[in-house]
Amino acid sequence: MTDLFYAYHNVIDLCLLNSMLAFGCFILLGVNLFSLATGGLMAIGAYLSIWLTMQQGWSFAPALTAALVAASLAAFGLGSLVLRLRGDYFTMATLAFTEVVRIIALNWDSVTGGALGVFGIPQLTETWQLAGLLALVIYLIWAVRHSAVGERMRAIAADELAVSTAGHDVARFKLALFTASGAIAGLGGGLAAHLNMFIAPGDFGFLRSVDTVIAPVLGGVWNLAGPVIGASVLVVLPEALRFSAQMREILIGVTMLAVVLFLPAGLVGLPKLSRRRAAS
Amino acid sequence: MLVQQLVNGVSLGAIYAVFAIGFTLVFGVMNVLNLSQGAVFMWGAYVGLEVVRTLALPLPLAILAAATAAGLLGVLSEVLVFRPLQRRGAHRWMGMVGGLALARILIGLAQEIFGTQVVRYPDNALAGAALELLGARLQLLQIVAIGAALLMVIALAALLRYTNVGRAIRTVAFSENVARLVGVPVDRIRLMTFFVSGALAGGAGVLWSLLFQSVSPFMGDGILLKGLTVLILGGLGNIVGALVGGVLLGLVEVASVVVVGSGYRDAVGFGIVLLILLTRPTGLFATRETTRA
Amino acid sequence: MTPLLELRSVSRHFGGVAALSNVSFSLPRGAVIGLIGPNGSGKTTLMNVISGVDAPTDGAILLDGAPVQGLPANLLARRGIARTFQHIRLIPDLTALQNVTLALRTPSAGALDILLRLPRLGRIERDRRACGLKLLDQVGAGQHADTLAGGLSYGDRRRIEIARALASEPRLLLLDEPAAGMTHSERTSLRDLIAGLPERGLTVLLVEHDMDLVMGVCDEIHVLNQGNSIASGKPEAVRSDPKVIEAYLGAEDA
Ligand SMILES: Nc1ncnc2c1ncn2[C@@H]1O[C@H](COP(=O)(O)OP(=O)(O)OP(=O)(O)O)[C@@H](O)[C@H]1O
Ligand SMILES: [Mg+2]
């Protein structure tokens, strides 16, 4: 019974955490930026926060704040360099960043424990903290989207040139968004590190970045429910398919493919679609 | 010692180049980033292995069989993922996610069929053989890998330059609309391009697993990252760039092991990519584009 | 008095194509200046270069006597240059009003107002809405304020684009074929609108193929042909200039 509760509990924590991380990508997808920097930025937040709590004796809240600030600064620096790259070049540069950070982590044994990782991290992350912070992130994004700034965001997604001739600095706007997404990733990294007792550089590589950016695409990139639905599906589906590790990979792949092929608006478009089917 | 390292670098780089050329070909012709390419590479390695092990056929035939099978997987990715998305005018990232989804399916299938443990090609005459050159001891396999890679590149160059299919591919690369206007069967040419691209990935898969003596369902992720690195080094869609970039990456990685130690080997390529993008925002061999209002 | 804008041998090459070569003229304050020429003569390229959408390969552009060539579009917009596009660039999934308020100079809400939804926010956004509505009324598109721009007719979209350009309170307004796709009556009201702009302190550079409109509203006209400035002067003089007639006839023959 406690086992069951434990597993279940863990799934909820992961849904909350990954939903929050997915919002970091969500705000970027909103202006056509497909970023794979999440893993690297998370790693910065994760390693800084455990170093502070485990070796410097900081308490959790200031350590998380430091993680958030450090990853925002890193995102600001990275963004000022790579945001002028276009399309796939931008995506590749962010991927390169993530991989470089991962490999540095792999080699910096004194802080990161190298490939073996860090064990015995205090489990400070609580479900209510994850829920509260996710709610905060959603509220902030909602508030921005329902303001003139949100309109500017949609305009940038549609036509950057029109927005800049209207007198707005599109580059600065994107940099601000990228920095905000770095804050979310850094915070998420700190929370993730204190959730599992154990982290290793492999947790923050290419696959982490990909899974995070896929969540809003699966869930829906225009709807605030999208990242939550997408991230939750990506957490729950593997759990539900526990009976077979191989079938699990295949079925997750098939689900992703089905969404990409048949649900252009993501999973949030599903009810609308079935209603239309029923009506016709 | 130097010759030894040089051959190590070039043989590694040759495989990167073959893989990346397939990658960049699809990009250049159809502006598609096919992220299932790593899984196709892995399947090529397994098919080659099965042919050698169960059918006991010689290596060249194994490479051919692997390339064909992998080419068909490339075709599958077009039919299943990229063509429907293109028809729908879907956003670019849908194609990336679709490719990743297909990769997951292919990896899952490989686990189901071949198991998850690392396997290797059976020992053969090639594996142990070595030859002396300028005082260096070179594995014969490395030479074979370089030679096979060279053959594939030459075959592709000949295909693109001297055949009708090649001309058609180049026309589609220039513009799908122009190609339709002059009567090129664009859909079929796209299929062929995906076939060629998959075949190169599959061939690279066999060479890789011969050289490094390991085949596993997860071997595609690493090469995918290398392929992306080379893609940027050479400029998206630039075949000569991919060839040069691939060999360059192999050499730089081998050199980096000597200079900074093996721990940072995989970071060196990405470090260079970042540097290049920051100084030349469209890659090493790129041409300038302008915007229109 | 220095002219508002001065072009000094401005050139723009695309590879081997000289879209503009050594174009020089100036825009006196409060004038409506016409820019005409056959298709492909470089009119849009010149607008791009002036508005910072593109940069000249050579030459200088002076705004109030200060060089501005090569500055990014958003800075030039802040310094008083606004434009419309030959191929309309409204944001289709924003309403007409949202498209206009996008360019307003009136202070928008600050980060705290937005994130904490302070009462100030409502007031600021009401003010912006009122400003936008006024501009839409001025161009005669007030009734479409809350319609998505993507669903409107050509003429309406052109007018809304002008309203958006006016929203940034420009001193110089660049209009690239504003009458294209408009009905006859729409053209008449467009002419009245343009003719009234100098009174509001604006200078206008008008690219247009509708000669009646150009001749009727412009104080002075410059003619481009294959990137070269071939004639300039009062409308009547330009109309009868043999070089101009030849350029247009030559273009039609080709
Ligand atoms: N981005 C570009 N790249 C290459 N050539 C260009 C570009 N923009 C314009 N040109 C070329 O420059 C020349 C001038 O074009 P431009 O659009 O300025 O003409 P225009 O006078 O506005 O014509 P129209 O009346 O048809 O709008 C043309 O030959 C065009 O092909
Ligand atoms: Mg034009």
Side-chain angles (χ1 to χ4, degrees):
Chain A
M1 192 61 214
T2 43
D3 264 8
L4 195 67
F5 173 76
Y6 184 76
Y8 182 62
H9 198 249
N10 210 19
V11 168
I12 292 180
D13 285 350
L14 274 183
C15 284
L16 293 170
L17 176 68
N18 288 359
S19 298
M20 190 177 94
L21 287 165
F23 276 103
C25 290
F26 176 81
I27 56 176
L28 295 180
L29 290 170
V31 291
N32 280 328
L33 291 170
F34 194 87
S35 165
L36 294 176
T38 316
L41 295 168
M42 268 183 86
I44 292 172
Y47 284 111
L48 177 64
S49 66
I50 60 167
W51 181 72
L52 289 174
T53 56
M54 294 173 72
Q55 299 192 22
Q56 304 299 309
W58 286 35
S59 55
F60 195 34
L64 276 184
T65 311
L68 180 148
V69 171
S72 319
L73 289 176
F76 181 84
L78 178 67
S80 355
L81 295 173
V82 304
L83 276 167
R84 66 203 169 86
L85 301 173
R86 293 178 32 193
D88 294 338
Y89 286 104
F90 167 79
T91 303
M92 292 310 130
T94 55
L95 167 62
F97 166 78
T98 289
E99 283 296 303
V100 168
V101 171
R102 181 180 68 85
I103 292 162
I104 290 174
L106 212 48
N107 288 278
W108 195 357
D109 292 13
S110 60
V111 174
T112 66
L116 294 177
V118 180
F119 294 88
I121 303 169
Q123 269 187 307
L124 300 172
T125 304
E126 309 270 357
T127 306
W128 66 267
Q129 296 165 344
L130 291 170
L133 288 170
L134 174 63
L136 180 65
V137 167
I138 293 178
Y139 166 75
L140 292 178
I141 296 176
W142 174 84
V144 169
R145 276 162 60 105
H146 288 82
S147 73
V149 179
E151 284 164 23
R152 206 179 306 160
M153 236 171 114
R154 262 147 75 197
I156 289 176
D159 189 343
E160 290 185 16
L161 187 65
V163 179
S164 59
T165 53
H168 297 294
D169 189 339
V170 174
R172 213 183 63 183
F173 192 90
K174 286 182 171 177
L175 185 57
L177 277 180
F178 197 70
T179 307
S181 95
I184 295 177
L187 181 64
L191 290 164
H194 291 85
L195 189 63
N196 284 337
M197 297 199 289
F198 165 74
I199 56 169
D203 297 341
F204 306 110
F206 174 60
L207 291 179
R208 164 62 87 170
S209 297
V210 163
D211 279 347
T212 309
V213 76
I214 282 179
V217 174
L218 285 188
V221 290
W222 299 117
N223 192 308
L224 276 171
V228 179
I229 293 175
S232 304
V233 165
L234 284 176
V235 171
V236 172
L237 204 60
E239 289 297 324
L241 300 172
R242 260 208 143 92
F243 55 89
S244 157
Q246 289 89 314
M247 282 313 285
R248 184 167 85 177
E249 283 296 297
I250 298 172
L251 287 174
I252 295 173
V254 170
T255 311
M256 280 164 55
L257 196 55
V259 172
V260 164
L261 290 178
F262 304 116
L263 295 174
L267 287 165
V268 289
L270 198 55
K272 216 186 284 173
L273 203 69
S274 50
R275 233 179 294 138
R276 208 183 312 144
R277 288 270 158 76
S280 63
Chain B
M1 188 59 194
L2 184 66
V3 179
Q4 174 85 58
Q5 298 294 4
L6 215 58
V7 174
N8 287 348
V10 172
S11 56
L12 181 64
I15 296 176
Y16 290 161
V18 171
F19 180 82
I21 287 172
F23 216 171
T24 214
L25 181 68
V26 163
F27 192 97
V29 176
M30 286 158 293
N31 196 16
V32 162
L33 199 58
N34 181 3
L35 295 181
S36 72
Q37 196 82 341
V40 172
F41 167 91
M42 174 268 294
W43 266 86
Y46 272 111
V47 170
L49 177 66
E50 289 304 312
V51 169
V52 169
R53 212 161 49 176
T54 56
L55 303 179
L57 290 177
L59 202 55
L61 280 181
I63 294 182
L64 210 61
T68 311
L72 291 175
L73 285 178
V75 168
L76 182 77
S77 67
E78 157 77 342
V79 175
L80 204 63
V81 183
F82 297 107
R83 180 183 293 175
L85 288 180
Q86 197 216 17
R87 296 259 156 92
R88 189 176 89 202
H91 201 287
R92 194 162 181 77
W93 59 55
M94 286 292 184
M96 299 208 213
V97 176
L100 288 165
L102 183 62
R104 272 188 113 135
I105 297 173
L106 289 176
I107 293 171
L109 282 174
Q111 285 176 277
E112 186 81 33
I113 298 171
F114 307 114
T116 47
Q117 69 281 30
V118 176
V119 290
R120 38 183 293 189
Y121 276 62
D123 284 334
N124 57 20
L126 263 182
L131 75 175
E132 297 273 333
L133 184 71
L134 303 172
R137 189 173 174 283
L138 305 175
Q139 273 182 279
L140 191 55
L141 256 176
Q142 291 181 314
I143 310 294
V144 170
I146 295 172
L150 207 59
L151 268 181
M152 291 185 215
V153 173
I154 292 172
L156 176 70
L159 173 85
L160 286 179
R161 187 155 290 273
Y162 298 114
T163 66
N164 286 333
V165 173
R167 270 187 285 277
I169 289 179
R170 281 184 289 143
T171 315
V172 176
F174 177 68
S175 153
E176 285 202 9
N177 288 331
V178 169
R180 281 213 173 81
L181 279 179
V182 299
V184 171
V186 172
D187 286 349
R188 204 169 341 138
I189 292 301
R190 283 177 62 109
L191 279 181
M192 283 186 189
T193 311
F194 270 102
F195 181 86
V196 172
S197 159
L200 289 170
V206 179
L207 296 181
W208 176 276
S209 40
L210 277 172
L211 206 55
F212 296 97
Q213 283 299 317
S214 86
V215 182
S216 92
F218 310 104
M219 66 190 285
D221 290 341
I223 194 84
L224 183 68
L225 294 181
K226 302 294 179 194
L228 289 168
T229 309
V230 175
L231 206 63
I232 300 293
L233 287 180
L236 294 173
N238 185 331
I239 291 179
V240 179
L243 177 63
V244 178
V247 175
L248 219 58
L249 181 63
L251 286 170
V252 168
E253 285 191 355
V254 169
S256 75
V257 174
V258 180
V259 181
V260 288
S262 60
Y264 283 97
R265 195 186 80 168
D266 291 333
V268 172
F270 283 112
I272 296 178
V273 158
L274 275 178
L275 282 183
I276 287 181
L277 285 179
L278 297 181
T279 47
R280 296 199 45 137
T282 50
L284 203 50
F285 305 96
T287 44
R288 254 179 66 91
E289 341 171 26
T290 47
T291 47
R292 255 172 200 268
Chain C
M1 198 165 73
T2 53
L4 178 61
L5 189 88
E6 188 183 346
L7 305 173
R8 286 195 191 150
S9 4
V10 169
S11 301
R12 177 63 170 108
H13 298 262
F14 294 105
V17 183
L20 294 172
S21 26
N22 290 316
V23 175
S24 303
F25 60 81
S26 52
L27 304 181
R29 285 160 211 273
V32 177
I33 306 295
L35 181 64
I36 62 171
N39 290 118
S41 55
K43 305 181 293 296
T44 297
T45 305
L46 189 63
M47 294 248 169
N48 288 346
V49 161
I50 295 175
S51 61
V53 166
D54 194 2
T57 337
D58 215 347
I61 302 173
L62 310 177
L63 181 67
D64 288 324
V68 295
Q69 70 275 9
L71 289 185
N74 59 303
L75 280 187
L76 289 170
R78 294 274 152 176
R79 290 175 67 164
I81 300 181
R83 68 172 292 174
T84 65
F85 294 90
Q86 184 175 352
H87 302 284
I88 305 173
R89 299 189 88 134
L90 289 177
I91 312 300
D93 48 356
L94 291 184
T95 65
L97 182 62
Q98 288 170 329
N99 266 287
V100 175
T101 52
L102 186 67
L104 279 178
R105 292 288 297 273
T106 52
S108 54
L112 276 188
D113 303 327
I114 291 172
L115 297 181
L116 303 179
R117 297 195 80 73
L118 299 178
R120 235 163 68 90
L121 180 69
R123 205 166 58 236
I124 291 172
E125 304 223 318
R126 259 194 313 281
D127 285 352
R128 289 169 64 85
R129 197 180 149 84
C131 279
L133 278 173
K134 206 167 77 192
L135 286 163
L136 279 175
D137 282 334
Q138 281 170 16
V139 299
Q143 72 276 27
H144 299 305
D146 293 316
T147 316
L148 290 185
L152 292 169
S153 78
Y154 223 69
D156 286 331
R157 273 153 59 211
R158 288 235 177 262
R159 286 199 296 244
I160 293 163
E161 219 190 13
I162 296 175
R164 180 173 72 187
L166 291 174
S168 63
E169 296 170 28
R171 291 177 295 157
L172 172 61
L173 178 62
L174 312 173
L175 298 172
D176 200 347
E177 306 200 13
M182 281 193 174
T183 63
H184 186 74
S185 67
E186 285 174 329
R187 280 169 195 238
T188 316
S189 49
L190 176 68
R191 173 207 295 232
D192 295 342
L193 176 71
I194 297 176
L197 291 174
E199 281 166 27
R200 300 166 53 181
L202 272 93
T203 306
V204 179
L205 181 63
L206 172 67
V207 167
E208 188 45 70
H209 284 300
D210 178 342
M211 284 306 142
D212 289 341
L213 180 61
V214 176
M215 298 295 163
V217 79
C218 292
D219 303 307
E220 203 182 298
I221 293 176
H222 297 277
V223 188
L224 285 181
N225 188 29
Q226 298 184 349
N228 294 291
S229 171
I230 55 165
S232 44
K234 295 278 168 218
E236 316 78 65
V238 164
R239 193 205 301 261
S240 51
D241 189 321
K243 273 188 298 195
V244 177
I245 297 169
E246 195 198 308
Y248 270 91
L249 287 181
E252 262 154 43
D253 281 351

